[in-house]
Amino acid sequence: MHNPGNSIRAQAQHHAEEHFAAGAQYIAGRPAKGTSGHTHTVVDPSTGEDVYAYELAGTADVDAAVAAARAAFPGWSATTPGERSDAMHRFAAVLADRAEEFARAESLQCGKPIKLTREFDVPGTIDNTAYFAGAARHLQGQSAGEYSGDHTSYVRREPIGVVGSIAPWNYPLQMAAWKVLPAIAAGNTIVLKPAELTPLTSLLFAEAATQAGIPDGVVNIITGAGREAGEHLVGHPDVAMTSFTGSTAVGKRVAEIATSTVKRLHLELGGKAPFVVFDDADLEAAVHGAVAGALINTGQDCTAATRAYVQRPLYEEFVSKTADLMATVRLGDPFAPDTDLGPLISYAQRDRVAGFVDRARSYARVVTGGEIPQELKHGAYYRPTLVAGAAQDSEIVQSEIFGPVLVVLPFDSDDEGIRLANDTPYGLAASAWSRDVYRANRATREIKAGCVWVNDHIPIISEMPHGGYKASGFGKDMSAYSFEEYTQIKHVMFDNTAVARKDWHRTIFGDR
């Protein structure tokens, strides 16, 4: 039977081979090959086929990218907010014109269904860019005031310098945008290291910035191994700030290196989002929300619904209906328009997810899924999986799985539901499901997470911040709050008296 996705995939693969032939580094406005002496291959996880082989960056490439960013900083930081805004509006327009190219590249390297990249990843990135184009004009400090009586004070926000950022493989395009956009809107320059598995859309993003007229060296891409290129970037003496998104374990290592050089540090780390369903919730809405929230991006999302706590009167029906709905999800070719769920990022990640589920069989019940689909065994696929009967302290409840797996546990009182929701080291996102506004408001107050949705799970918007509590890190992406990460705050204070001999001087020398 003819697969309409095959021709789209072939076109995307040919485009990758041709477009990135000059290398997987982007320094000072042009592509370059890495100099580490090691190669890496981007693999289509839906087929296991090689897509693009490239030379990894070494420390010399990092040095060159940082030097380019440092050279570009004086000019870019001196531009007016209006000039930066205009450049970023042009950037958004370029991204919109090339939207299909970005969607196909993202699906090719990640295995995301094309409907997800076309309708979520790419439009979201264009919207982020348009948002920060506007936000660049509103980057300001506190207005002037005479707080001491004898002086006028005001606050300036100034760019920090060169930002060294590291992005993960699960949302390569969106994470590139989340790192680059607030940094350059605030007047900084940046060196971004995408994951080796998924560099294609980060490279396209930097290229689009150049196409939009953003000066060479403002946005640079280094594609290398974390141990070599990543650690060298974080520890580089000319990098003033590090922003990292990834696992909590790696985030700790990044923090060690960054703090040794007294850098500004922003960390967005792991998550284990609770999905709390109270007994007055709309059950159909909760079931649909749970399946969508657990399976987005094949569960490879730090904010994905992973722990459903359902009040006991609804528990059994929730388990049954969620399992039934999960069983309708269509796995298949990411480039086919009717595919709902693509593969995991790699065979290694698929096997890691399967390991969690297989170990859970000894202490919990796999209600649906829990297997590699034999008809798709050539790719890194895993069926949507629902697990029930696990204990709160079990591995599958406490650890981040990063796959299409939802665990469901019952609770009795509201106090217990909120306590269980908070009972992990993480605090990135959560949701509460209830028709009672007071009950829902209590959940939003008492659940310790950077985002708490009510009667929904997953939606994000450019105007609102994203970031975590506890082991999920600190600092914010998106929104005007992200400028707190990417600007220095300077207090400026003017004497208004023109008096040479001030009263306070007498506390240091002389008499009144």
Side-chain angles (χ1 to χ4, degrees), residues 360-374:
R361 295 180 197 277
S362 65
Y363 58 79
R365 176 170 59 101
V366 177
V367 182
T368 191
E371 64 182 11
I372 296 168
Q374 289 305 298

Side-chain angles (χ1 to χ4, degrees), residues 368-391:
T368 191
E371 64 182 11
I372 296 168
Q374 289 305 298
E375 70 275 16
L376 295 167
K377 62 183 179 182
H378 55 277
Y381 290 87
Y382 196 77
R383 291 202 190 281
T385 301
L386 186 68
V387 176

